[in-house]
Amino acid sequence: MTGETTDDATVGNNVQAEAPFYHEGAPQAFQRLWTPHRMVYIGGQNKPSDNTPAQCPFCTGPERGDEESLIVHRGRTGYVIMNLYPYNTGHLLVCPYRHISDWTEATVAEREEIGELTATAMSVVRSVSHPHGFNLGMNQGEVAGAGIAAHLHQHIVPRWKGDANFMPIIGRSKPVPQLLGEQRDMLASAWAIHVQEPGD
C-alpha cells in the first residue's frame, strides 16, 4: 500500500495521514495571501524586548517627528498614530502619552480625550476613505490579544461592505493598498481641516 492515495487519506511506509476536516461549503482554511512585510512583526524584530517605556513604541514614537512615527494628531494627554501592522486600510490607534497598561489606570482627562480623539478619528477617516462602519476596541493584556500589552491603546479599524469579517482580520494578514506614509499625510491634513471647521 506504500504511496497509495485515497480520497481522504494518504498512505506511505505503513503510515496513514488523515485528510484535514473540511465542511462542505466552508472556505478553504489555507487560502494564501502573501504579505511578506508582516514577517518583521511575526519574527519579533520590532517587538519590545521588555515592558519598560524605553522599549515601548508608543512611548518612543512621540519623541520623533510625526511623519517618521506615522503620528496623525497630537493631543493634550494622548495622540493618534497609524498602526504599523494594520488590520485594514486606515487602521488608527489612540494612545495616552503615559506608559499605562490598563483602562482603570487612566485619569479622567485621559479617558475623556481618548474618547474625543476616537470620535474625531472616525469623522476624519470617513471624510477621507468613506468606510461603511468601524471596529473599535482595546485588548487588555496579552491573553486578550494585545500586541503591546504594556501601553494602553485603542484600535479604530475602518470597515467596508464585502471585506472580511473582524475575526479573520485579527487572525490572518490582510492587504493594504496604500502606503502608510501616504495614508498618514492624507489623514493628518484632513484632521487639520476638520478641527478648523466649527460645529464638527
Side-chain angles (χ1 to χ4, degrees), residues 34-41 84-86 173-176:
W34 299 111
T35 53
H37 66 281
R38 286 189 62 86
M39 285 307 298
V40 174
Y41 182 73
L84 190 57
Y85 304 99
S173 298
K174 186 172 179 68
V176 179

Side-chain angles (χ1 to χ4, degrees), residues 108-192:
V108 171
E110 286 169 333
R111 292 178 193 171
E112 288 178 353
E113 187 167 29
I114 287 171
E116 291 170 2
L117 292 175
T118 297
T120 302
M122 291 173 64
S123 296
V124 168
V125 172
R126 280 193 177 113
S127 72
V128 170
S129 304
H130 312 288
H132 300 125
F134 290 88
N135 287 114
L136 307 177
M138 292 184 184
N139 300 323
Q140 300 280 267
E142 290 183 8
V143 70
I148 308 293
H151 197 123
L152 185 71
H153 55 283
Q154 167 138 290
H155 293 264
I156 303 171
V157 184
R159 301 297 310 281
W160 289 265
K161 290 178 182 176
D163 69 8
N165 65 34
F166 191 55
M167 292 308 294
I169 290 174
I170 292 177
R172 295 184 175 90
S173 298
K174 186 172 179 68
V176 179
Q178 187 179 37
L179 294 175
L180 293 178
E182 293 177 1
Q183 289 179 44
R184 190 220 75 87
D185 292 345
M186 289 175 62
L187 291 168
S189 296
W191 196 295

